Amino acid sequence: MKVIGLAGWSGAGKTTLLTRLIPHFNAQGLRVSVIKHAHHQFDVDVPGKDSWRHREAGAAEVLVASSSRWALMHELRGAAEPRLPELLSKLSAVDLVVVEGFKREPHRKIEVHRAANGKPLLFPDDPGIAGIATDVAIDTRLPTVHLDDIEAAAKLLLRAAMPVEEAVAKSTAMR
């Protein structure tokens, strides 16, 4: 199992790029999972539904299952936010895990940069950035691909992806 991150400012197009890459990887026969970091309180449950009511009542975890999918919701209830290694350990084995966010973790990342966003590049200050997907020319030695070149972006992600064990070891050493 390998892991690669997508890092960039809000509005740069990380999610858009990822939703175009996943079908490309699937067509190549690769199984892909995603870990998405949210900077705010979010809900994957519908207020008023049974599972929401169970969480609101104080359940530590609520697992919802159907013939189509299952989802496990874990409430932190004041505990520290889990770091990337802990979250990686919760996933089933796949070929590639793409991490959207967690830009302070030391795993390898591809920076997603959109000029119209008006934000500075992250790569000069993040040694974990192994390449850039962008819509403008950038003066760097790092490999760059255009945001709309899905095949080139996919190749860049696969080349830069690192074994999960290596990502976990780097993160653990950072503590």
Side-chain angles (χ1 to χ4, degrees):
M1 198 157 93
K2 292 195 169 187
V3 62
I4 186 67
L6 289 180
W9 297 98
S10 178
K14 296 180 300 293
T15 300
T16 300
L17 178 60
L18 186 51
T19 58
R20 295 178 69 198
L21 285 167
I22 292 170
H24 181 85
F25 288 135
N26 288 341
Q28 293 180 348
L30 298 175
R31 291 188 57 217
V32 178
S33 289
V34 175
I35 294 179
K36 164 78 173 135
H37 187 261
H39 294 284
H40 46 76
Q41 190 168 349
F42 67 95
D43 211 336
V44 295
D45 206 0
V46 178
K49 292 291 190 179
D50 292 350
S51 55
W52 180 87
R53 293 177 62 203
H54 298 150
R55 285 190 309 110
E56 289 297 305
E61 291 187 329
V62 176
L63 192 146
V64 182
S66 74
S67 61
S68 299
R69 71 188 54 87
W70 66 270
L72 175 63
M73 292 168 281
H74 180 95
E75 291 295 316
L76 293 175
R77 307 272 181 226
E81 178 178 343
R83 299 232 4 240
L84 186 57
E86 182 182 344
L87 297 172
L88 286 166
S89 73
K90 296 182 182 307
L91 293 177
S92 299
V94 294
D95 299 302
L96 182 67
V97 178
V98 182
V99 178
E100 186 179 333
F102 286 95
K103 63 183 168 199
R104 287 180 178 65
E105 289 282 346
H107 63 287
R108 281 191 212 127
K109 305 166 205 83
I110 301 302
E111 179 170 357
V112 179
H113 178 78
R114 186 174 303 280
N117 217 8
K119 299 285 189 177
L121 288 156
L122 301 174
F123 85 88
D125 300 319
D126 185 344
I129 292 177
I132 304 170
T134 183
D135 59 353
V136 294
I138 294 175
D139 183 21
T140 179
R141 290 192 173 127
L142 292 174
T144 61
V145 298
H146 194 279
L147 279 170
D148 290 328
D149 189 344
I150 298 306
E151 187 167 330
K155 286 178 182 175
L156 180 60
L157 265 71
L158 290 174
R159 271 195 316 269
M162 63 194 306
V164 166
E165 300 80 15
E166 187 181 330
V168 168
K170 284 182 93 168
S171 184
T172 302
M174 192 175 111
R175 289 185 186 181

